[in-house]
């Protein structure tokens, strides 16, 4: 594992896009969409997670939990952006505005639709919490983005940094089991930012002999599998209500960290082959199409999955979980969710462009940029907990909050970061 940060040379021009990094990020989010589109089940008691009815299928989640790769690939992109100028305010604006704008449009629309009806319709509040829950990912990733000027310095001693970090994850897991379950939520940041930290070393890992990468990746995966079998870790890499064991995802655990290490090492081993495949413009064009709206598709697929599941329930399409009819219904649903999410993401993108153009015409905000940037992940994590239809109720860490407060804080931080920006509209997350 090398000791230098990726893209270590600073320059005034952007480096050519790395096609493999783009493909890894786009694929990771697309797999999440596919996984959610297949996760629901309808029965006589209504929609539920299919794992609640077929817990023996929990091992299938090991094939669809690929978010560690997004954090790893994002680390290389974030480090490259930071190294091109090492100007903290400019870097934070570049990386956060593009990431936050889709979330702001999504949050603003659903809060506007659900907050007033929540006064009269009790179902509006739980619906708002359901539609907001996946914002946790953008909140944690935004935290990783904000931390780059600091964490990128820690790459000089990779073994010490990563070893100590992984040990801290283990300590938090032990405290979760033996002291308080609440302590485990520290790993929401520790695990995902650990995988982001490992990602800094992807350029160096690509220089390691492929045999050692495969051995290391297989070893990390085997260790994760052993922990899942021995417990107290769950055998599932996603959360579901009926899991008899503590979740590996809410909050994440050592198992997710080890799975992520394995995925990162195996992707590094496959890098030359992936680069050759993606060198063909016709192949990369598909990646570019998916990647251009990946965050939007990730957000807007949530209500579509709920709509498809509700329609199947209303139509009485009850089938044996994971049986032939079940797969037929879900594949048809997937064929609806992905293209419609793409269309909705495109419509939302038009609003995002208008918002950025409005912000660019405002006077640049030059004071307290770092505190404003920190507000972005805090606001996103808060909204993911409070939802879109809560006038006053439990929020992040159980503290009282409201959907309106979350929206105002997110909008204010975004407006200050986007004000006067001239490049934010063209920079990908």
């Amino acid at each position: 594992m090398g000791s230098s940060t990726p893209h270590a040379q600073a320059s005034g021009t952007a480096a050519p896009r790395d096609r493999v990094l783009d493909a890894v990020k786009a694929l990771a989010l697309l797999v999440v969409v596919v996984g959610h589109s297949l996760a629901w089940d309808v029965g006589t008691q209504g929609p539920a997670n299919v794992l609640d009815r077929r817990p023996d299928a929990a091992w299938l989640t090991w094939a669809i939990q690929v978010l560690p790769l997004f954090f790893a690939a994002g680390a290389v992109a974030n480090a490259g952006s930071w190294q091109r100028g090492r100007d903290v305010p400019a870097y934070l604006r570049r990386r956060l505005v593009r990431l936050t704008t889709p979330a702001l449009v999504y949050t603003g629309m659903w809060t506007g639709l659900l907050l007033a009806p929540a006064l009269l319709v009790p179902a509006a509040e739980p619906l708002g919490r359901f539609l907001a829950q996946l914002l946790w990912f953008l909140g944690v990733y935004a935290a990783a983005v904000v931390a780059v000027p600091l964490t990128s310095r820690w790459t000089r001693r990779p073994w010490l940094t990563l070893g100590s970090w992984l040990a801290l994850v283990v300590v938090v897991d032990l405290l979760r089991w033996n002291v308080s379950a609440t302590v485990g939520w520290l790993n929401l940041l520790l695990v995902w930012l650990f995988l982001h930290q490992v990602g800094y070393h992807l350029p160096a890992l690509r220089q390691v002999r492929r045999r050692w990468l495969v051995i290391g990746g297989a070893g990390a995966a085997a260790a994760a599998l052993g922990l899942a079998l021995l417990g107290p870790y769950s055998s599932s890499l996603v959360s579901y209500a009926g899991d008899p064991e503590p979740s590996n995802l809410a909050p994440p655990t050592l198992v997710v960290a080890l799975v992520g290490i394995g995925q990162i090492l195996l992707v590094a081993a496959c890098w030359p082959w992936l680069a050759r495949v993606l060198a063909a413009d016709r192949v990369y064009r598909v990646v570019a199409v998916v990647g251009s709206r990946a965050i939007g598709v990730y957000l807007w697929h949530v209500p579509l999955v709920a709509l498809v599941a509700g329609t199947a329930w209303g139509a009485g399409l009850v089938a044996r979980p994971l049986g032939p009819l079940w797969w037929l219904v879900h594949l048809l649903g997937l064929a609806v969710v992905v293209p419609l999410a793409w269309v909705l993401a495109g419509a939302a993108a038009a609003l995002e462009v208008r918002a950025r153009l409005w912000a660019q015409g405002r006077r640049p905000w030059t004071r307290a940029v770092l505190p404003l940037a920190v507000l972005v992940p805090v606001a996103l994590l808060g909204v993911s907990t409070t939802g879109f239809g809560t006038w006053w109720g439990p929020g992040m860490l159980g503290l009282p909050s409201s959907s309106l407060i979350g929206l105002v804080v997110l909008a204010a931080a975004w407006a200050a970061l986007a004000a006067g920006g001239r490049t934010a509209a063209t920079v990908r997350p």
Side-chain angles (χ1 to χ4, degrees):
M1 190 177 292
S3 60
S4 61
T5 55
H7 305 294
Q9 70 281 6
S11 65
T13 59
R17 297 200 66 85
D18 188 311
R19 295 188 171 195
V20 178
L21 288 179
D22 286 347
V24 168
K25 289 190 291 183
L27 179 64
L29 293 188
L30 185 59
V31 169
V32 171
V33 173
V34 172
H36 289 156
S37 299
L38 299 177
W40 57 271
D41 181 70
V42 295
T44 56
Q45 297 179 341
N49 192 306
V50 67
L51 294 180
D52 286 319
R53 289 160 183 164
R54 285 289 304 274
D56 58 309
W59 296 105
L60 294 175
T61 63
W62 290 64
I64 61 173
Q65 181 51 269
V66 292
L67 275 182
L69 292 177
F70 186 95
F71 280 87
V76 182
N78 291 333
S81 179
W82 166 241
Q83 294 293 342
R84 284 195 290 272
R86 290 181 176 271
D87 181 296
V88 172
Y91 160 79
L92 291 174
R93 288 191 172 98
R94 279 198 307 272
R95 304 309 287 176
L96 288 179
V97 170
R98 176 73 181 187
L99 177 69
T100 308
T101 307
L104 178 62
V105 170
Y106 183 80
T107 299
M109 194 208 77
W110 284 113
T111 303
L113 288 175
L114 294 175
L115 192 56
L119 292 171
L120 301 173
V121 183
E125 182 172 340
L127 176 61
R129 290 180 184 272
F130 169 77
L131 293 173
Q133 59 185 344
L134 290 189
L135 284 172
W136 75 264
F137 159 70
L138 295 185
V140 174
Y141 187 71
V145 169
V146 172
V148 164
L150 176 64
T151 57
S152 62
R153 300 178 185 176
W154 300 345
T155 57
R156 299 187 185 98
R157 295 183 176 180
W159 294 109
L160 177 62
T161 298
L162 296 176
S164 301
W165 205 321
L166 198 61
L168 188 56
V169 169
V170 174
V171 169
V172 171
D173 275 356
L174 292 174
L175 292 174
R176 175 186 177 185
W177 312 140
N178 298 291
V179 178
S180 170
T182 304
V183 177
W185 285 102
L186 289 172
N187 272 345
L188 182 65
L189 289 178
L190 288 174
V191 169
W192 295 116
L193 267 66
F194 166 79
L195 294 167
H196 186 273
Q197 192 73 22
V198 176
Y200 283 140
H201 302 283
L202 257 174
L205 287 170
R206 286 154 50 186
Q207 309 306 316
V208 176
R209 293 184 65 177
R210 192 176 308 177
R211 179 178 63 181
W212 295 115
L213 292 172
V214 172
I215 292 174
L225 184 62
L227 289 174
L229 288 171
L230 295 174
Y233 299 98
S234 172
S235 58
S236 172
L237 290 184
V238 302
S239 296
Y240 63 99
D243 194 346
E245 300 167 309
S247 171
N248 277 318
L249 191 62
T253 64
L254 175 62
V255 171
V256 172
L258 291 172
V259 167
I261 292 172
Q263 291 176 351
I264 293 166
L265 292 177
L266 292 175
V267 164
C270 296
W271 204 281
W273 175 78
L274 292 171
R276 287 195 298 272
V277 171
L278 292 166
D281 288 341
R282 67 182 181 278
V283 176
Y284 180 68
R285 202 171 292 122
V286 176
V287 171
V289 167
V290 174
S292 65
R293 297 184 187 176
I295 296 295
V297 171
Y298 170 84
L299 290 171
W300 289 99
H301 87 278
V302 180
L304 292 173
V305 169
L307 181 62
V308 168
T311 301
W313 183 35
L317 295 176
V318 179
R320 182 172 59 87
L322 302 182
L325 179 58
W326 186 96
W327 278 107
L328 176 61
V329 171
H330 281 71
L331 291 176
L332 289 174
L334 182 61
V336 171
V337 168
V338 173
L340 282 185
W342 170 261
V343 171
L344 287 177
L351 296 177
E352 295 163 21
V353 170
R354 290 188 179 185
R356 287 195 295 266
L357 289 175
W358 171 84
Q360 288 171 11
R362 309 285 293 180
R363 183 178 179 181
W365 182 277
T366 58
R367 294 168 293 175
V369 172
L370 181 58
L372 283 167
V374 171
L375 275 181
V376 170
V378 171
L380 287 170
L381 289 171
V383 172
S384 74
T385 306
T386 306
F388 302 131
T390 303
W391 282 98
W392 191 251
M396 187 167 56
L397 301 177
L399 300 175
S401 186
S402 78
S403 302
L404 191 58
I405 290 175
L407 176 60
V408 169
V409 172
L410 181 63
W414 173 88
L417 291 170
R422 297 298 173 189
T423 60
T426 60
V427 178
R428 286 189 186 179

